[in-house]
């Protein structure tokens, strides 16, 4: 499990997330939204924080790369890029955390 706050000056996910990959890149809104909206990206999952308006979606954008889209309570979208190998073993933490609920896969949001 990755521990929080051990990045060497790099990007990190908001504290509400139950994990934080060791290597993470913050993407601009324009780049992030373009990448996840591309027809070749595949959403791996979408989660909503219980009793909150935070949400998180993870997209496979290449065979080895994911982009995470985080919706904040004030309606902003933040995008983060990471290697699939750094994220795939962390995703069960979202499913196993009572504070987060997985949403249906049929919606693309």
């Amino acid at each position: 499990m990755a521990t929080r706050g051990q990045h060497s000056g790099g990007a990190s996910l908001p504290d509400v997330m139950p994990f934080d990959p060791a290597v993470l890149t913050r993407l601009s809104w324009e780049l992030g939204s373009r990448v996840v909206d591309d027809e070749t990206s595949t959403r791996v999952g979408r989660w909503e924080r219980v009793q909150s308006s935070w949400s998180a979606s993870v997209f496979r954008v290449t065979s080895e790369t994911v982009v995470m889209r985080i919706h904040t309570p004030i309606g902003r979208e933040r995008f983060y890029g990471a290697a699939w190998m750094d994220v795939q073993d962390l995703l069960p933490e979202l499913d196993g955390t009572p504070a987060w609920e997985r949403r249906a896969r049929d919606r693309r949001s």
Side-chain angles (χ1 to χ4, degrees), residues 38-92:
D38 187 87
E39 63 186 38
T40 61
S41 74
T42 304
R43 190 176 60 175
V44 174
R46 180 174 186 274
W47 295 262
E48 291 180 358
R49 189 160 167 87
V50 175
Q51 298 180 344
S52 171
S53 52
W54 285 92
S55 68
S57 297
V58 177
F59 298 86
R60 288 286 299 265
V61 296
T62 72
S63 61
E64 300 300 325
T65 309
V66 296
V67 170
M68 291 175 274
R69 178 177 59 199
I70 310 296
H71 282 269
T72 71
I74 59 171
R76 297 191 191 254
E77 292 178 317
R78 298 178 186 171
F79 293 92
Y80 302 88
W84 173 242
M85 64 183 247
D86 292 338
V87 174
Q88 66 183 343
D89 292 336
L90 300 176
L91 289 179

Side-chain angles (χ1 to χ4, degrees), residues 16-18 43 45-52 54-57 91-105 107 109:
V16 299
M17 296 298 292
R43 190 176 60 175
R46 180 174 186 274
W47 295 262
E48 291 180 358
R49 189 160 167 87
V50 175
Q51 298 180 344
S52 171
W54 285 92
S55 68
S57 297
L91 289 179
E93 292 183 41
L94 275 173
D95 289 324
T97 302
W100 289 88
E101 291 181 345
R102 184 183 278 263
R103 294 299 177 205
R105 297 184 95 167
R107 295 184 307 181
S109 59

Side-chain angles (χ1 to χ4, degrees), residues 1-28:
M1 177 173 116
T3 52
R4 299 194 65 81
Q6 293 192 355
H7 299 281
S8 57
S12 62
L13 292 175
D15 288 339
V16 299
M17 296 298 292
F19 63 83
D20 202 6
V23 180
L24 194 63
T25 303
R26 178 85 184 259
L27 305 176
S28 70

